[in-house]
Amino acid sequence: MAGDITTIARPYAEAVFERAKETGQIDAWSQALELLAAVTADANLAAQIGNPNIPRERVLEIILEVCGEGLHAEAANFLRLLSRNARLTAMPEIARLFEVSRTADQGVSHVLIRSAFDLGDDELESLSAALTKRFGGQVDLTVETDSALIGGIEIRAGDLVIDDSVRGKIKQLAHALQF
């Protein structure tokens, strides 16, 4: 399901990012999308968005009213497009993907490193240097400890996943044995 919403959101996020770059309004769009994501993710409003008995126009009016002056004209038009296409539920993912594009455009890659054990400063420095070389730019590391990995590490950067964990190797072996 998460993949489905990403598939829906990606073209919108890419189009908005290109428009933001074209007009030099990346920061303004980032703020507008952050606001829209927060408003549409609100549990009460999310229930309204998903309710087929409430007209889309009414939900759109509510969102525009809540956002008020915090939404520039182009962002309001974008919201109208999403409403017309029944894509308001994708708003938080559109905002997330916009930020991914923004940081990638700035030459920064966000990388999640999951390790079975706590990593020392030397290991983190070594990983950071290797990932900087691999991605050809600055990396922003987020490190999590996950004992379920059993051993090793898992690295995620956008759509790229490098799984060098024991759990990952066990899964690969189990998959290979099925054929």
Side-chain angles (χ1 to χ4, degrees):
M1 180 64 189
D4 293 343
I5 199 73
T6 299
T7 302
I8 290 167
R10 181 168 278 124
Y12 289 104
E14 289 172 356
V16 168
F17 184 75
E18 287 306 312
R19 177 66 181 156
K21 268 184 76 169
E22 183 182 292
T23 59
Q25 297 291 315
I26 292 175
D27 288 341
W29 271 103
S30 180
Q31 291 168 0
L33 293 175
E34 182 181 347
L35 174 62
L36 287 170
V39 170
T40 57
D42 176 76
N44 293 327
L45 193 54
Q48 302 296 320
I49 291 170
N51 187 338
N53 296 322
I54 298 176
R56 286 187 203 150
E57 297 78 24
R58 179 64 191 129
V59 173
L60 175 63
E61 289 171 15
I62 293 168
I63 296 170
L64 289 171
E65 193 175 305
V66 169
C67 292
E69 297 298 315
L71 212 55
H72 57 82
E74 266 192 306
N77 287 338
F78 177 64
L79 183 67
R80 287 181 185 93
L81 173 72
L82 291 177
S83 176
R84 207 171 27 254
N85 294 337
R87 298 294 191 222
L88 289 174
T89 56
M91 192 63 242
E93 184 66 2
I94 292 169
R96 186 190 72 77
L97 291 171
F98 179 90
E99 290 305 318
V100 168
S101 295
R102 178 183 182 176
T103 54
D105 187 63
Q106 294 170 342
V108 177
S109 297
H110 288 287
V111 180
L112 171 64
I113 298 175
R114 293 174 61 219
S115 172
F117 305 99
D118 289 334
L119 297 174
D121 290 340
D122 291 343
E123 292 165 314
L124 284 174
E125 219 171 279
S126 175
L127 276 169
S128 180
L131 292 169
T132 297
K133 185 176 178 183
R134 167 83 188 255
F135 294 119
Q138 184 181 351
V139 292
D140 176 27
L141 298 181
T142 302
V143 181
E144 295 177 357
T145 303
D146 182 358
S147 61
L149 295 176
I150 305 170
I153 64 171
E154 180 184 275
I155 300 170
R156 292 180 180 268
D159 294 336
L160 173 70
V161 177
I162 302 169
D163 190 349
D164 194 34
S165 67
V166 173
R167 181 180 68 186
K169 291 177 181 177
I170 291 171
K171 281 183 183 177
Q172 288 175 348
L173 179 61
H175 182 71
L177 291 174
Q178 289 178 349
F179 294 103

